């Protein structure tokens, strides 16, 4: 049986429907991420689970019990708010200790756990500082420590790492994953960072305009997106206009100078979708010219102008010589890596 | 926003009842047909409301009070808001002393202030003038305006002001467009308390009021000198009715909670 | 020339009487504007002291106690051309610095309705103040008010003392009367309110006040104690200031006009100060008139005034605690 | 302008306070100084005020226990009133703040209402309600079985505190109300998510943050009740004198202004010390909220 | 001459030195990013340039003029605050219009520019909404629009995109770059996102504990880090313990089963640093076992246990078959891609 269950939940603000028909079953110990464009209703959904907003329709159940009837203070959830919501009048350690006090943890143990939690988020030495005297990232980490220290059975994280640098972020991700594994915390993470979502989650919920677009493992959503929206939203995608030529034998799929044996079932004008990291530079294939070449650390991003319109290519920064801006190249890919669909309006 | 629990509502109900009880009693007594205060009253009569018409000076005094209250509380705000901002955000030498000075009118018995002002204004040739009355009232309502503005200005999010400054707002514009709206709940509450305090002051005003500038409380006080009769209650009932009507109209057209809570709606 | 004359006096119905009956006629007669500055005796006296050297007020109407003080402090100017022959002696002041415009008797007031319900006999004596059945239902004005002072003097006098020795009076107040006292209340308005709310049923008060209280329809009556009631005066004086207007004196004298005296008797229960005045019988039910006026006890103000400061202090510490 | 402020602009605060300062020096400090001067003058019943410099009045206040008793009663009543107002007013403001718009403004009006009618009429209402043993309040309390014997309200300190608290309540409610407007509702949610019940939230999260408001209210209430005249005079009567009625008496009845001025000066100084002291104490305690 | 110049700027809060000896010359129209761990003083430095904090020491000059003497309102900078700092009492469009009003832009033009700015950040239709009724990302975008609409000559951006999803973020990055190019805005960006910094900036300032660690182009800082800190902070790095064997001919650099000709100048115990994206799976080389394999969209992240300790490998998700968890692999890299230094304490 599902541990946490959202059953056709909807939320309206005035006349505006912000979340609609949202159904999701979360298993015990599962790590779920909500991904979606800004304003699509992620925070709203989280706040409903937390009990700060009442759903307009639908039910939320935890272990089969109706959660809506339970007062937020009794739900025992750990929450990190998008705006941190630190207690401005308390020091960092008082903020973190608050949840433990509520649980009547003895003073000595409390002190030790608070110290450990702050050390874990890299804030040893900041115990007595007030939030207003801390940097943005430091505040965010206090908020994280405050939620983690109570070892909740359900963690709701609303962009908990958005103000941290990559290094710290990764450390925190590892911490989160570890906590979730050892204590078996069921976690729901709202994030705008796809890498984060993909590397942490068991399943990803992709949302758009308050509706669920797809629920699936990271690889499913990335590699078998249920809709054009999901494909566009997760990572980058090139869409090339192509045609299937059934007159040729064997019948051919052609896009500019690139061609391959045609897949079955389609005919005429088609759209070829291909991820930029699946495209290589070769001797034959779509001719293109590099417009900009952007260095991105462990990879390069090329914006090209091809026969079939703009194209994006990603190449690992593996030390090999890379084409320069203005250079003429040929783009090539394996037929397995693309997906082909009939071109609308063609 | 969470709703109030049953306990809170019980508390609230009792609180409100206790708050209105004396006023309700006053209003009830206003309808007595007797010539004296009695409770419970037997019968109902508008006699004491009709009697008000025989005392045009009551009506005149009401207008004096209204004008005096509005004017003096407004002038007090003009002085108090900048001072409150300075005290809220700067740590400078003499800050505590200044704050104490500005609050001091609260702490002096009004009879002493009344006599001090009377001596002072008489000696500078302003004795008995409306101007003197206004100045004196500005002083006594100043602490209210100051204290509530101060409460709103302390702990206000400064980065919002920084944002305005970075966009080119300085001095007066910054104040008018950003700072003031942010502290508005405090300023308006301060104004309300200041107005009410001025409207209601008796002990000091008795000394400064001259014929023609007698305020309503002074009038009522003088009236009940030798006889407390239900006229005081009917006048009070009228004051309540007038102010309630004014406030309800304000609420209708502008929204009282918006006035008191500032314009940015609190949202979720 | 059009000049404004400022007259300071009591507020309330007294003010109304003066505004209606005296001021219009006076204005017409003298071509002057009269402004009435309302306030009780002590307010007026405080204003006089605050504006010392720069007086605005031209005529002051106050109780006799404060008037003695005002005269001593030099606030009062001199009255000329008083109808001296027609005035009762008690109404006159030294050097004619002031004059009484009404006579009041200090005695006892009680709630007739409550007394009837309880089957109590009306009080007859100052000693009734000691009666324990009035516990916490008795009101006496404090000693800085003339009523209270006179009660103290009368009780002292009955018990072997007098103006020069009030020890016995203090003793009785402290030990026997104090337990009965609900409040020492100087404000007339407050006094009526205590009666109206039923908290008080008996009090020391003056005929003028009782008369106007009874006029509202409230069931109270006044008793002249058998040991004698004391005289209390309402007085007026022109204020002493440079270039004092002669009209101030005229205004005071106008208050002594028989017509006005009758009006004040009717509205306000003031016993007339003119010997010659004929009082219509329906007006003189309570006020000290004729026979009753003659029997009034006149306290020795010269002695009292010397001791008054000391008494006040003693009163505050021993009685009002 | 603001954050800069703390470092720059040694002049800015003075520029901002200058108008108010000038006003106060011009029309308050001078009259007050005149009053303080007055307290060193001599006075006699029939010689009036004599502008000499003597310590007679101060010596009298210092040596006569009568005055100590008056002041002690004054502050006892003021403290009780402040406590009562804070204990009831702050929760009420909080409850009000959680009501929906319509009700919120309605009840705000109801609570502000008492301020709009003269203190005389208001206290009259109380007098009517208290009205001795058979007053409405006592009848009600007895019929509810809360009390067995009527509580004397009129002319007692109990009655004074109750009536004063009623008169002062709107000041407290409004002050706290203004402070509540600044709270971030998410912070309350955060506390709730950590398991804090309503009482804890109020005590640990809300209270510290609205301290500036409670403090404003308390200062206003305390000062006003310690210097209040009308209510103590009407409810307390002459036997329960407080500092303000004492000063009133000296000013208006005895006309001994120098003594009255000394009492008033002492009251003022004591109040300023208490208010400034507690203000500083609380500001230090809740330094982060006041930043 | 430098357009904006910071000259040995330092800032103390009480006894704590938060920024120290910070010197930087920014050319007109340049795009600079501040990168550094949370709490290293990025916001503080920005606030000093903006004029909201006064430096404890040092000078800040704009076109040679002392900036510190100029009132913040007169500096004409566009700023996005880390905490947004929207005006809560104004709607989105009023917020954006504010700066234009201050510049007395005529009403009609103002309305048009506000509309365009909100459309640019994807908030058309949200003109009349108050900030408290907007999602985190929406608020952040209003803040961005507010700063951009006044076309300032200097833009200071403090984590302006931290709450946006990848897609929107990229769109905003392109906008920023475009604005900066067309108007020639000098931009300083504080970000925790290295990709963002690398793809947008002309130069990157890497900070640590209030001090500058390195100033350089993205490629310089990534590929020729001035210190171990910079190398660690920007991207990931593997450090393997190796030895140089001068006895062999030609002398050899050895790390476990991996070996290559030794570089000149070093001897004995060394540390080999190599970026994970420069490591490939081959037939020979360091033997290792895959511990976890993390899917990250356009690439895979492998955490391995090698002979020389833990190793991280990144491989582009180019559709080729990738080793699975538990599989034994050989790690190999080109000698050019590593950097070798003497091992401390060995
Ligand atoms: N008002 C203050 N008083 C004392 N210390 C402060 C204050 N503001 C910031 N600090 C401290 O100064 C240091 C630098 O803060 P700053 O805000 O500049 O960091 P940052 O680089 O912007 O970090 P982040 O990426 O987390 O926002 C931090 O350690 C912080 O705790
Ligand atoms: N109190 C409110 N009243 C009206 N509309 C609201 C309110 N709060 C949020 N909204 C709207 O509801 C939608 C969803 O908001 P929500 O905060 O859930 O978005 P989100 O997915 O968390 O976005 P982000 O990633 O930007 O934080 C947004 O369009 C927002 O403008
Ligand atoms: Mg959100
Ligand atoms: Mg920062």
């Amino acid at each position: 049986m599902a541990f946490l269950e959202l059953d056709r939940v909807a939320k309206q603000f005035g006349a505006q429907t912000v979340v609609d028909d949202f159904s999701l079953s979360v298993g015990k110990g599962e790590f779920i991420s909500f991904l979606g464009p800004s304003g699509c209703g992620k925070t709203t959904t989280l706040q409903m689970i937390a009990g700060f907003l009442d759903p307009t329709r639908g039910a939320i159940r935890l272990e089969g019990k109706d959660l809506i009837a339970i007062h937020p203070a009794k739900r025992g959830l750990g929450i990190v708010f998008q705006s941190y919501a630190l207690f401005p009048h308390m020091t960092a350690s008082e903020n973190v200790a608050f949840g433990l006090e509520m649980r009547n943890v003895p003073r000595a143990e409390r002190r030790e756990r608070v110290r450990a939690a702050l050390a874990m988020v890299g804030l040893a030495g900041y115990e007595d500082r007030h939030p207003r005297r801390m940097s943005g990232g430091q505040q965010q980490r206090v908020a994280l420590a405050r939620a983690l220290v109570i070892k909740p059975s359900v963690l709701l994280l609303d962009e908990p790492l958005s103000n941290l640098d990559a290094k710290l972020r990764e450390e925190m991700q590892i911490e989160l994953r570890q906590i979730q594994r050892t204590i078996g915390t069921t976690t729901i993470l709202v994030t705008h960072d796809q890498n984060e979502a993909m590397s942490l989650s068991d399943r990803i919920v992709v949302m758009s305009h308050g509706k669920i677009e797809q629920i699936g493992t990271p690889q499913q959503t990335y590699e078998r997106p249920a809709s054009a929206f999901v494909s566009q939203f997760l990572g980058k995608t090139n869409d090339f206009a192509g045609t299937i030529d059934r007159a040729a034998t064997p019948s051919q799929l052609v896009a500019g100078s690139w061609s391959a044996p045609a897949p079955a079932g389609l005919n005429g004008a088609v759209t070829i979708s291909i991820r930029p990291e699946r495209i290589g530079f070769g001797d034959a294939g779509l001719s293109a010219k590099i417009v900009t070449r952007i260095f991105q650390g462990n990879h390069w991003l090329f914006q090209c102008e091809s026969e079939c319109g703009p194209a994006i290519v990603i190449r690992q920064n593996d030390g090999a010589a890379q084409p320069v801006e203005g250079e003429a190249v040929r783009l090539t890919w394996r037929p397995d890596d693309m997906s082909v669909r009939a071109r609308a309006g063609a | 926003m969470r709703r109030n629990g049953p306990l809170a509502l019980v508390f609230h109900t009792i609180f409100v009842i206790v708050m209105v009880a004396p006023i309700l009693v006053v209003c009830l007594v206003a309808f007595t047909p007797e010539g004296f205060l009695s409770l419970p009253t037997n019968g109902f009569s508008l006699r004491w409301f009709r009697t008000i018409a025989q005392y045009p000076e009551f009506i005149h005094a009401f207008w004096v009070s209204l004008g005096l209250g509005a004017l003096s509380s407004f002038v007090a705000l003009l002085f108090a808001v900048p001072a409150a901002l300075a005290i809220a955000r700067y740590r400078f030498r003499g800050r505590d002393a200044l704050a104490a000075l500005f609050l001091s009118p609260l702490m002096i018995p009004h009879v002493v202030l009344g006599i001090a002002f009377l001596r002072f204004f008489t000696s500078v040739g302003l004795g008995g003038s409306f101007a003197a009355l206004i100045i004196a009232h500005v002083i006594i309502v100043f602490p209210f305006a100051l204290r509530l503005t101060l409460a709103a200005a302390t702990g206000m999010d400064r980065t919002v002001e920084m944002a305005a400054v970075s966009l080119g707002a300085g001095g007066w514009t910054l104040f008018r467009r950003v700072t003031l709206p942010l502290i508005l709940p405090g300023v308006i509450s301060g104004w309300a308390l200041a107005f009410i305090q001025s409207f209601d002051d008796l002990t000091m005003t008795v000394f400064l009021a001259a014929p023609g500038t007698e305020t309503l409380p002074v009038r009522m006080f003088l009236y009940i000198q030798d006889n407390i009769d239900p006229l005081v209650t009917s006048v009070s009932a009228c004051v309540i009715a007038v102010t309630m009507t004014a406030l309800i109209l304000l609420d209708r057209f502008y929204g009282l909670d918006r006035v008191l809570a500032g314009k940015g709606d609190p949202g979720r | 020339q059009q000049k404004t004359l400022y007259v300071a006096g009591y507020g309330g119905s007294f003010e109304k009487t003066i505004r209606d009956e005296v001021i219009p006629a006076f204005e017409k007669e003298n071509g002057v504007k009269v402004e009435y500055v309302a306030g009780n005796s002590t307010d007026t006296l405080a204003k006089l002291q605050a504006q010392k050297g720069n007086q605005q007020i031209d005529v002051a109407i106050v109780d006799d106690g404060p008037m003695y003080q005002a005269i001593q402090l030099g606030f009062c100017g001199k009255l000329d051309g008083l109808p001296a022959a027609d005035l009762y002696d008690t109404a006159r002041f030294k050097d004619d610095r002031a004059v009484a415009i009404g006579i009041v008797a200090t005695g006892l007031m009680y709630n007739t309705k409550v007394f009837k319900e309880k089957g109590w006999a009306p009080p007859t004596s100052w000693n009734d103040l000691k009666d324990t059945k009035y516990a916490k239902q008795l009101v006496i004005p404090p000693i800085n008010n003339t009523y209270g002072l006179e009660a103290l003097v009368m009780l002292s006098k009955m018990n072997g003392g007098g103006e020069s020795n009030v020890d016995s009076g203090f003793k009785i107040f402290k030990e026997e009367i104090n337990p009965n006292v609900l409040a020492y209340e100087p404000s007339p308005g407050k006094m009526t309110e205590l009666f109206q709310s039923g908290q008080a049923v008996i009090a020391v008060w003056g005929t003028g006040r009782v008369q106007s209280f009874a006029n509202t329809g409230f069931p109270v009556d006044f008793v002249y104690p058998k040991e004698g009631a004391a005289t209390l005066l309402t007085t007026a004086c022109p204020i002493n200031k440079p270039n004092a207007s002669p009209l101030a004196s005229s205004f005071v004298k106008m208050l002594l006009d028989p017509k006005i005296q009758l009006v004040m008797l009717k509205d306000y229960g003031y016993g007339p100060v003119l010997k010659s005045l004929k009082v219509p019988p329906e007006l003189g039910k309570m006020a000290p008139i004729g026979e009753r006026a003659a029997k009034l006890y006149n306290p020795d103000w010269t002695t009292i005034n010397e001791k008054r400061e000391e008494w006040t202090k003693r009163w505050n510490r021993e009685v009002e605690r | 302008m603001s954050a800069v402020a703390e470092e720059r602009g040694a002049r800015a605060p003075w520029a901002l306070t200058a108008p108010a300062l000038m006003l106060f020096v011009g029309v308050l400090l001078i009259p007050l100084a005149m009053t303080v001067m007055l307290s060193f003058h001599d006075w006699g019943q029939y010689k009036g005020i004599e502008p000499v410099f003597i310590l007679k009045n101060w010596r009298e206040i210092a040596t006569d226990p009568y005055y100590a008793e008056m002041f002690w009663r004054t502050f006892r009543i003021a403290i009780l009133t402040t406590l009562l107002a804070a204990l009831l007013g702050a929760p009420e403001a909080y409850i009000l703040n959680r009501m929906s718009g319509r009700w919120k403004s309605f009840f705000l009006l109801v609570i502000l209402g008492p301020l709009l009618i003269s203190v005389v009429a208001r206290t009259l209402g109380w007098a009517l309600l208290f009205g001795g043993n058979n007053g409405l309040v006592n009848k009600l309390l007895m019929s509810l079985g809360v009390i067995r014997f009527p509580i004397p309200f009129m002319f007692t300190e109990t009655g004074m505190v109750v009536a004063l608290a009623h008169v002062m309540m709107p000041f407290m409610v409004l002050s706290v109300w203004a402070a509540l407007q600044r709270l971030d509702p998410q912070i309350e949610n955060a506390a709730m998510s950590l398991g804090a019940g309503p009482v804890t939230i109020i005590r640990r999260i809300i209270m510290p943050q609205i301290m500036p408001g409670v403090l404003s209210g308390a200062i206003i209430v305390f000062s006003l009740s310690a210097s209040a005249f009308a209510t103590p005079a009407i409810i307390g009567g002459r036997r329960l004198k407080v500092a303000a009625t004492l000063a009133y008496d000296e000013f208006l009845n005895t006309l001994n202004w120098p003594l009255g001025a000394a009492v008033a000066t002492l009251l003022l100084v004591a109040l300023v010390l208490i208010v400034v002291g507690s203000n500083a104490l609380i500001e230090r305690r809740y330094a982060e909220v006041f930043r």
Side-chain angles (χ1 to χ4, degrees), chain D residues 34-263:
Chain D
M34 284 163 68
T35 307
V36 173
M37 279 308 297
L38 192 60
S39 73
F40 293 102
H41 290 347
D42 193 12
W43 178 87
Q45 178 104 15
Y46 295 112
K47 62 183 184 199
I49 299 166
E50 300 212 316
V52 291
F53 187 90
I54 50 164
L55 289 174
K56 183 179 118 188
N57 303 304
W58 289 99
R59 199 172 305 124
E60 183 175 339
I61 290 178
T63 51
D64 192 337
Y66 177 68
Y67 296 97
E69 190 189 319
M70 295 297 121
F71 272 91
W72 174 225
R73 176 184 296 136
T74 305
F75 288 115
R76 186 171 58 229
I77 287 172
I79 288 170
L80 286 176
T81 305
T82 310
L83 280 181
L84 195 63
L87 248 42
L88 300 179
E92 176 61 19
Y94 181 70
I95 292 170
L96 267 184
N97 196 38
R98 284 156 60 112
M99 293 189 163
S100 62
R102 213 99 278 276
W103 289 113
K104 192 151 55 176
S105 31
F106 172 75
F107 282 117
L108 211 58
L109 281 189
V110 168
I111 288 167
L112 287 184
L115 282 178
L116 291 167
I117 70 167
S118 162
V119 66
V120 177
R122 221 179 311 150
T123 319
L124 213 65
W126 274 115
L128 280 169
L129 280 176
F130 286 162
N133 293 350
N134 46 9
L136 240 54
V137 174
N138 271 323
K139 274 189 198 148
L140 183 75
L141 287 181
M142 284 199 289
S143 67
L144 286 177
V146 180
I147 50 172
R148 296 251 309 282
F149 303 101
I151 309 175
F153 281 111
M154 282 310 281
F155 308 113
T156 61
E157 286 188 21
T158 322
M160 264 156 96
V161 170
V162 170
L164 269 178
H166 177 258
V167 175
M168 303 297 167
M169 198 60 81
F171 295 105
M172 183 60 84
V173 173
L174 220 54
S175 299
V176 177
W177 163 271
L180 276 168
Q181 299 309 306
R182 284 206 330 262
L183 291 198
D184 175 3
Q186 287 290 13
I187 288 183
E188 207 175 320
N189 285 346
M192 220 186 289
S193 78
L194 292 168
V199 177
T200 316
I201 289 184
I202 288 167
R203 196 172 56 84
R204 299 282 310 275
I205 307 297
I206 308 290
M207 270 304 284
Q209 291 192 75
I210 59 170
M211 251 354 246
V214 178
L215 181 65
S216 305
I219 284 180
I220 290 175
V221 172
F222 182 80
S223 311
L224 281 184
S225 4
S227 59
F229 160 70
T231 311
I234 300 179
I235 304 282
R238 291 186 52 87
R239 271 190 286 188
L240 287 178
K241 274 206 203 96
V242 294
T245 44
L246 188 67
Y248 183 92
D249 225 28
E250 293 302 336
F251 269 105
L252 288 192
N253 286 331
T254 336
L255 282 193
N256 187 350
W257 287 8
L259 184 59
V263 170

Side-chain angles (χ1 to χ4, degrees), chain A residues 37-44 46-47 82-83 158-159 190, chain B residues 268:
Chain A
S38 169
C40 72
K42 304 181 295 291
T43 299
T44 306
L46 224 56
Q47 298 248 346
Q82 194 167 9
S83 58
D158 198 350
E159 312 260 16
V190 169
Chain B
R268 39 179 130 183

